[in-house]
Amino acid sequence: MPDQNAQITWREGQVPVSTQFDDPYFSLEDGAAETAYVFLAGNDLPERFRPGFHIAELGFGTGLNLLLAWDAWMRAGHEGPLHFTSFEAYPMRPEDMAQAHAAFPALDGRRDALTAAWDGTGGVLELPGLRAEIIIGDARQALPAWQGQADAWFLDGFSPAKNPELWGDALMAEVARHTTPGGTAATYTAAGFVRRALGAGGFEVTRIPGYGRKRHMTRARMPA
């Protein structure tokens, strides 16, 4: 069987780059700051957090987005766990995730707790204040079968130019179908076909200034 793990090279020993998609997993400048800007602020988080809040994600990658969302949830002090579901076709090996995490803040030990819990096969991770499920496989098949609904989406596949399968009309329609009324989505890309697909699914779509060198990004909101 072909190797379904992520195939990685490293820039400066810290930034993983997918050889399958020729794209880095996070910003070469500051991956944690990019996540906070694009995915947290892009979904009006932590302000929208409430008990039972559910984040869903396309592209688990290094787990950085989960880590920072979990940290924000814990700092907000809500009762019960944050629910987080991520769809990932090529999971990272534990040793690669550990190396990537060396570039991230420790976040009161949460970084190391996530690294220790990750075995590279997905499934459910139960950690203090967090219930995460990483669903391994092609999101084009896995998302339609998912029974959940997300309050916020992190759309974090590799570049649409290099990984168009994760940004197609049918998949964006499934994202919309699995979004609560008033729910949101955010992504670093402002590609026109992605914005049009989100709009066709029912989202109200806005292009806003992007992070760092990226001129624009996309925010989307489902009418309440």
Side-chain angles (χ1 to χ4, degrees), residues 71-88:
D71 183 67
W73 175 264
M74 296 298 286
R75 293 178 186 280
H78 289 287
E79 293 294 325
L82 172 68
H83 298 271
F84 194 104
T85 302
S86 188
F87 298 85
E88 174 60 61

Side-chain angles (χ1 to χ4, degrees), residues 39-70:
F39 296 112
L40 296 183
N43 281 288
D44 297 322
L45 304 178
E47 294 81 6
R48 290 178 54 230
F49 280 153
R50 55 171 176 72
F53 198 85
H54 198 146
I55 295 170
E57 174 183 59
L58 296 182
F60 183 65
T62 64
L64 174 59
N65 298 340
L66 180 152
L67 180 64
L68 292 184
W70 177 29

